[in-house]
């Protein structure tokens, strides 16, 4: 390909800028880490705390990210209403958990109470996701890729303000579960019970999902549809049913995440889904969108970097109020991953396709 | 390559969603007409106008006039935060304005008073949007608002340039009424106190009453919180204390444990976070989970002086301190106001600035009465500059919050600050004006 001198110069400038950016970020990270560790402001318990906070936040991101990535894997579309699906799960869990707490069930059988709340949250999320799929996405199945994206954004706002209409703009305080107060001690380090439960629940949910996709017939069909819709249809797979199943599974994960998120932060309102939704989308891209283990890894990496990053990278190099830059760290990391590995951490499969 | 385009596209989409999310909504609440039964008898003298043509009113005002024809309402607008987690703050002030209108019988010189509202969302962008909408409505006579200092920072230039004047019941950021605040603020006054007083009161409370010497602060990036925690920090150091950490989070942050761990590493005895409701709730709910902060004393300010804090913060709010205007220092008939409030809305007041809003509305009406020119047919004319000057000239005005005199830089408030302690974390128990069992309860000074 022949290019003019001007184009080559522009190319050089762009590449130079990008390399400069990469080097700058790497220098900040290395220098910041070195200075922070030398300053010794934090004890090792505090470092472990940072990582634990990050893992519990990250496992919630991962659960939500699964929905983004599965739908993308099958339909090549970003379901921007997914954050609101997550929020509806949190609301569903709220009502059942409040009721269970009110009749005293939650205190007597906390494990069952938690499982019932999660089940109900998943149910609500799944129902709403199926409605959204039927009304906002399926009629646009053959349309250009941008059309369902816009429809998804519309669905997102519609759901947000429907919930606002029904439940008002105020916050709802989640009932606190006595069984989850306090900490458990591992090797002399106290870790909050709620974070352990959230992490374990998230890991269990993800293993269930992974087994469904890898080891069942329907999972095989899902993988086939994601490889090639038309050929899968020729092989006798009901593509519509598989798409609906994918939405349902993704939404169930989001619903579970909604309940876990609300358990951790103890409140929910109509806007709850927005920020975690965007963060989870970031996590999905980070891990390699369309790739299920990628979403899990992306979520965890994002959670940990958000939690550890401000203290580790920025605290000691004289940046005041580093926690205001928490989101900036998350998004810069996304840009860095896309620069170094455009297909995401585990994203070979997608890049082969694109 | 496709991947990169895709990433760029998604970033753009995210950005546009964020912008869209900041948009504001408008609602209209016509002044209640229930309480005006008797007022119909005082309809303006209509008969005289038809004969003997009176010399037509000529507007000589430097920034224009509002003309209100017979049968048209006197249009007042309220702008502030009416949606999102801080809506209690705006709703509380709006009620103060509505009660002031009720006290006028819903009428001003024979014209109905129309109150419209504009949501400003407690952000500079929301303030700018609301101000633009208000500026285009030429029927508006005067404004009450905004709720959050951020909204004023975003919208005040538009409002001043449109010839409007606004009186804020709840902006407390010191710089808004500094003598060198600039011409954009010519249309801005407030009945709220400046945080120069509030920060000092909290510092004295912490150092003299709680006897702590090591304090940390946390703010949410709003101009209000940023300025207030800095005033506190400066005053606390002046008293002899040490500030061991000053941190900040984003206004939509939810996971506070990492930043609280950083604060814990500095080992404070007292943490002051004069933030808004969202961050305030999350910090309070999570603070006792962080190793090293189990027993630290915690305090906030008027931005979270609302039952919504108890909803978000849960059981940890018990024993938390909140600074606020001192209700017991109000010289006017506060008990009478509370009685009207209970009769009209039921339940407790939502936040702390209802009385300031009531006073602001009455200052506006008093100034309006001074400058209004009435034609024989009942048409009212209001000069915008004349109205603005009349508000600034407010002197020894007997309000609920005190005897108010407006300074040339727009400070009309009578700043007396108290610190309250939350006695019960149940949101239903919130009632700071309860005679026997107030929650929160005043403990300082």
């Amino acid at each position: 390909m022949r290019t003019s001198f001007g184009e080559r110069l522009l190319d050089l400038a762009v590449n130079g800028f990008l390399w400069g950016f990469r080097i700058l970020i790497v220098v900040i990270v290395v220098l910041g880490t070195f200075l922070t560790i030398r300053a010794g402001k934090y004890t090792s318990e505090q470092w472990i705390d940072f990582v634990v906070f990050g893992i519990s936040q990250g496992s919630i991101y991962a659960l939500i990210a699964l929905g983004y990535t599965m739908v993308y894997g099958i339909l090549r579309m970003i379901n921007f209403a997914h954050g609101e699906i997550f929020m509806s799960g949190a609301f569903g869990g709220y009502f059942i958990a409040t009721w269970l707490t009110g009749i005293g069930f939650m205190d007597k059988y906390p494990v069952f109470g938690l499982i019932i709340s999660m089940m109900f949250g998943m149910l609500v999320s799944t129902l709403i996701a199926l409605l959204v799929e039927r009304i906002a996405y399926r009629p646009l199945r053959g349309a250009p890729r941008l059309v369902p994206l816009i429809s998804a954004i519309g669905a997102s706002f519609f759901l947000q303000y429907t919930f606002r209409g029904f439940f008002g703009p105020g916050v709802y305080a989640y009932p606190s579960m006595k069984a989850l107060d306090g900490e458990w001690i591992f090797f002399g380090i106290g870790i909050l019970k709620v974070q352990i439960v959230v992490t374990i629940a998230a890991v269990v949910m993800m293993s269930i999902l992974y087994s469904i996709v890898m080891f069942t017939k329907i999972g095989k069909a899902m993988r086939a549809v994601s490889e090639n819709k038309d050929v899968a249809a020729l092989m006798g797979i009901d593509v519509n049913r598989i798409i609906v199943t994918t939405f349902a599974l993704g939404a169930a994960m989001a619903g579970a995440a909604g309940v876990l998120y609300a358990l951790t932060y103890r409140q929910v309102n109509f806007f709850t889904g927005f920020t975690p939704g965007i963060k989870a989308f970031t996590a999905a891209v980070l891990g390699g969108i369309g790739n299920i283990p990628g979403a899990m890894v992306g979520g965890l990496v994002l959670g940990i970097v958000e939690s550890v990053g401000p203290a580790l990278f920025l605290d000691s190099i004289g940046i005041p109020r580093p926690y205001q830059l928490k989101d900036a760290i998350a998004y810069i990391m996304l840009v860095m991953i896309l620069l170094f590995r455009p297909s995401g951490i585990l994203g070979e499969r997608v890049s082969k396709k694109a | 390559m496709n991947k990169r385009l895709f990433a760029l596209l998604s970033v753009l989409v995210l950005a546009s969603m964020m912008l869209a999310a900041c948009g504001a909504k408008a609602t209209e609440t016509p002044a209640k007409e229930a309480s005006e039964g008797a007022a119909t008898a005082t309809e303006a003298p209509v008969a005289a106008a038809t004969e003997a043509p009176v010399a037509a009113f000529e507007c000589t005002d430097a920034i224009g006039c509002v003309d209100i024809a017979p049968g048209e309402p006197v249009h007042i607008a309220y702008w502030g935060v009416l949606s999102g987690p801080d809506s209690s703050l705006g709703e509380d002030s709006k009620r103060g304005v509505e009660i002031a209108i009720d006290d006028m019988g819903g009428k001003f010189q024979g014209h109905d008073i129309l109150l419209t509202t504009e949501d400003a969302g407690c952000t500079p962008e929301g303030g700018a949007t609301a101000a633009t909408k208000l500026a285009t409505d030429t029927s508006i006579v005067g404004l009450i608002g905004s709720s959050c200092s951020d909204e004023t920072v975003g919208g005040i230039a538009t409002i001043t340039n449109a010839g409007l004047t606004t009186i804020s019941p709840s902006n407390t950021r010191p710089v808004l009424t500094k003598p060198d605040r600039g011409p954009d603020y010519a249309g801005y006054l407030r009945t709220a106190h400046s945080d120069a007083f509030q920060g000092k009161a909290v510092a004295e409370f912490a150092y003299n009453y709680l006897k702590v010497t090591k304090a940390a602060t946390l703010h949410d990036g709003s101009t209000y919180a940023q300025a207030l925690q800095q005033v506190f920090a400066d005053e606390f150091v002046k008293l002899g204390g040490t500030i061991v950490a000053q941190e900040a989070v984003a206004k939509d942050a939810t996971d506070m444990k990492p930043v609280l761990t950083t604060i814990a590493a500095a080992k404070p005895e007292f943490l002051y976070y004069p933030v808004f409701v969202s961050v305030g709730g999350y910090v309070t709910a999570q603070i006792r989970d962080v190793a090293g902060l189990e027993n630290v004393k915690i305090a906030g300010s008027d931005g979270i002086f609302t039952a919504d804090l108890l909803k978000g913060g849960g059981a940890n709010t018990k024993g938390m301190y909140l600074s606020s205007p001192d209700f017991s220092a109000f010289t006017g008939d506060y008990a009478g106001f509370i009685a009207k409030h209970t009769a009209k809305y039921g339940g407790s007041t939502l936040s702390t600035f209802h009385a300031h809003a009531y006073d602001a509305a009455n200052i506006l009406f008093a100034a309006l009465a001074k400058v209004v020119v009435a034609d024989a047919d009942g048409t009212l004319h209001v000069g915008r500059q004349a109205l603005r000057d009349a508000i600034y000239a407010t002197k020894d005005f007997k309000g609920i919050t005190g005897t108010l005199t407006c300074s040339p830089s727009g400070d009309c408030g009578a700043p007396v600050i108290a610190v309250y302690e939350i006695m019960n974390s149940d949101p239903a128990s919130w009632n700071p004006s309860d005679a026997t069992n107030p929650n929160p309860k005043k403990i300082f000074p």
Side-chain angles (χ1 to χ4, degrees), chain A residues 236-260:
Chain A
I237 294 171
D238 182 348
V239 173
N240 258 336
R241 202 169 68 99
I242 296 302
I243 290 174
V244 168
T245 316
T246 309
F247 267 94
L249 277 175
M253 294 297 132
V259 175
L260 296 175

Side-chain angles (χ1 to χ4, degrees), chain A residues 18 22 41-42 46 49-50 53-54 57 72 78 80 145-146 149 153 156-157 161 164 169-174 183 192 194-195 261 264-267 269-272 274-275 278 281-282 285 288-289 306-307 311 315 321-324 326-327 331 334 338-339 342-344 350 354, chain B residues 2-4 6-7 9-11 13-14 16-18 20-21 23 25 82-85 87 119 219-222 226 229-230 246-250 252-266 277-278 281-282 285-286 288-291 294 308 310-313 316:
Chain A
L18 288 179
R22 289 176 222 204
K41 181 174 167 189
Y42 300 97
Q46 279 166 333
D49 278 348
F50 279 129
F53 298 150
Q57 176 76 52
Y72 185 85
I78 302 297
F80 265 113
R145 278 170 67 167
L146 207 54
L149 182 76
I153 294 170
S156 161
F157 279 107
Y161 285 92
R164 188 196 144 129
V171 298
Y172 287 79
Y174 240 62
E183 0 182 86
L192 293 172
V194 68
Q195 296 194 304
Y261 181 86
T264 318
Y265 299 118
R266 293 167 206 162
Q267 50 174 292
N269 81 343
F270 78 99
F271 210 58
T272 298
F274 186 74
T275 315
I278 289 179
F281 171 64
T282 309
V285 176
I289 192 144
E306 268 191 4
S307 169
D315 212 0
R321 326 264 187 275
Y323 285 93
Q324 279 186 313
K326 193 179 85 171
D327 292 351
Y331 295 128
L334 176 68
L338 291 179
L339 281 180
S343 53
V350 174
Chain B
N2 238 341
K3 189 77 192 178
R4 229 177 262 204
F6 164 72
L9 176 70
S10 29
V11 168
V13 168
L14 291 190
S16 62
M17 282 175 80
M18 299 226 191
K25 246 134 254 81
L82 295 168
S83 68
S87 48
D119 182 13
H219 70 78
D220 60 7
S222 64
Q226 216 170 337
Q229 61 86 26
Q230 194 55 51
Q246 280 176 290
E247 289 295 338
V249 292
D252 61 353
T254 52
D255 192 4
M256 303 297 172
K257 293 186 203 93
V259 69
L260 290 172
T261 304
T262 294
I263 289 175
V277 169
S278 171
Y282 286 119
Q286 295 168 32
R288 302 300 180 209
D289 292 343
V290 174
E294 291 91 345
D308 289 346
L310 309 189
K311 287 186 197 158
N316 290 348

Side-chain angles (χ1 to χ4, degrees), chain A residues 39-256:
Chain A
K41 181 174 167 189
Y42 300 97
T43 62
S44 51
E45 279 84 22
Q46 279 166 333
W47 284 118
I48 293 172
D49 278 348
F50 279 129
V51 174
V52 172
F53 298 150
I55 290 176
S56 91
Q57 176 76 52
S59 54
I60 293 174
Y61 287 157
L63 272 178
I64 313 172
L66 285 171
Y68 280 108
T69 226
M70 285 168 65
V71 168
Y72 185 85
I74 286 210
L75 286 178
R76 297 285 176 276
M77 71 163 275
I78 302 297
N79 178 12
F80 265 113
H82 197 59
E84 275 54 55
I85 307 272
F86 157 84
M87 176 268 292
S88 64
F91 259 103
Y94 164 79
F95 287 109
I96 201 89
T98 313
W99 180 67
L100 288 176
T101 311
I103 60 170
F105 184 88
M106 207 58 134
D107 289 335
K108 253 187 256 167
Y109 311 102
V111 177
F112 288 114
L114 182 61
I115 290 176
I116 293 173
S117 307
M118 272 175 68
M119 289 293 197
F120 192 74
M122 290 159 76
L123 185 73
V124 172
S125 287
T126 309
L127 287 178
I128 290 185
L130 293 184
L131 276 178
V132 169
E133 196 271 336
R134 188 73 194 79
I135 296 168
Y137 302 153
R138 197 181 297 180
L140 304 171
R141 190 67 54 74
R145 278 170 67 167
L146 207 54
V147 176
L149 182 76
I150 302 299
S151 178
I153 294 170
S156 161
F157 279 107
F158 176 81
L159 287 175
Q160 253 176 38
Y161 285 92
T162 307
F163 271 79
R164 188 196 144 129
F166 279 120
F167 304 113
V171 298
Y172 287 79
Y174 240 62
S176 65
M177 291 175 63
K178 286 199 191 70
L180 291 182
D181 284 348
E183 0 182 86
W184 279 310
I185 311 284
F186 294 95
F187 309 109
I189 297 156
I191 297 178
L192 293 172
K193 285 181 186 175
V194 68
Q195 296 194 304
I196 293 172
V197 170
V198 164
T199 311
I200 290 175
V203 169
V204 169
M205 297 302 302
M206 285 190 272
S207 347
I208 293 176
L209 178 86
Y210 194 68
S211 335
I212 292 178
V213 173
M214 294 314 285
F215 307 120
T216 65
K217 213 168 160 191
I218 199 145
K220 208 174 199 177
M222 282 166 72
R223 283 180 285 141
V225 172
S226 121
E227 287 276 324
N228 191 324
K229 237 188 283 180
D230 301 326
V231 176
L234 287 177
M235 296 294 139
I237 294 171
D238 182 348
V239 173
N240 258 336
R241 202 169 68 99
I242 296 302
I243 290 174
V244 168
T245 316
T246 309
F247 267 94
L249 277 175
M253 294 297 132

Side-chain angles (χ1 to χ4, degrees), chain B residues 313-336:
Chain B
N316 290 348
T317 50
K318 187 165 187 275
M320 182 178 177
Y321 305 107
L322 295 175
S323 68
S324 149
D326 186 349
F327 301 117
S328 63
F330 288 175
T331 56
D333 182 17
Y334 186 57

